[in-house]
Amino acid sequence: MSICVLAGGKALTLGAALFTLSWTHSVEKIRWEEDWRATPAGLEIVEARVQGSGAGMEPPPDAHFEDGWWRYRPSLPAQAELALAASGATGSGWKLCASEKCHELGAAAEKPVIVRYCE
């Protein structure tokens, strides 16, 4: 199983089924991370973590605090794709890590970065 990333007119295929997507909130400057699994049914979220709250980032009631992070599992069905905004105005982009390699995505203003399952 693989993950396909379409960014800035380029395509990248990552030979991994699990990946972590992370970013820093543009207003609160707080780290956010999500673990995802790529399956033929789509992208399934495994866990989300946030290091604080504020500006629309409140952890849900079922979140628990562990090692400096609010951890929880969002209730989402499998997603066909993730569309990550790439405004270039937030100071940083997205970080996608899979198989111990990380890629910075969407730091410059461009079309959204698309992440999806591929074979």
Side-chain angles (χ1 to χ4, degrees), residues 28-68:
E28 298 292 341
K29 307 300 183 210
I30 293 173
R31 188 81 174 155
W32 196 305
E33 295 181 352
E34 295 176 344
D35 295 332
W36 291 84
R37 177 183 306 117
T39 73
L43 302 176
E44 300 173 349
I45 191 160
V46 176
E47 182 185 67
R49 296 174 294 284
V50 63
Q51 288 186 313
S53 62
M57 301 173 33
E58 299 302 324
D62 64 336
H64 67 279
F65 194 74
E66 178 184 330
D67 298 327

Side-chain angles (χ1 to χ4, degrees), residues 7-98:
K10 297 178 183 175
L12 172 67
T13 301
L14 305 174
L18 300 174
F19 66 96
T20 298
L21 184 62
S22 60
W23 65 96
T24 300
H25 190 279
S26 61
V27 174
E28 298 292 341
K29 307 300 183 210
I30 293 173
R31 188 81 174 155
W32 196 305
E33 295 181 352
E34 295 176 344
D35 295 332
W36 291 84
R37 177 183 306 117
T39 73
L43 302 176
E44 300 173 349
I45 191 160
V46 176
E47 182 185 67
R49 296 174 294 284
V50 63
Q51 288 186 313
S53 62
M57 301 173 33
E58 299 302 324
D62 64 336
H64 67 279
F65 194 74
E66 178 184 330
D67 298 327
W69 294 86
W70 286 102
R71 297 172 176 270
Y72 61 99
R73 180 164 184 180
S75 179
L76 288 175
Q79 303 293 300
E81 64 183 28
L82 303 177
L84 311 175
S87 69
T90 60
S92 65
W94 306 84
K95 187 179 201 181
L96 188 148
C97 298

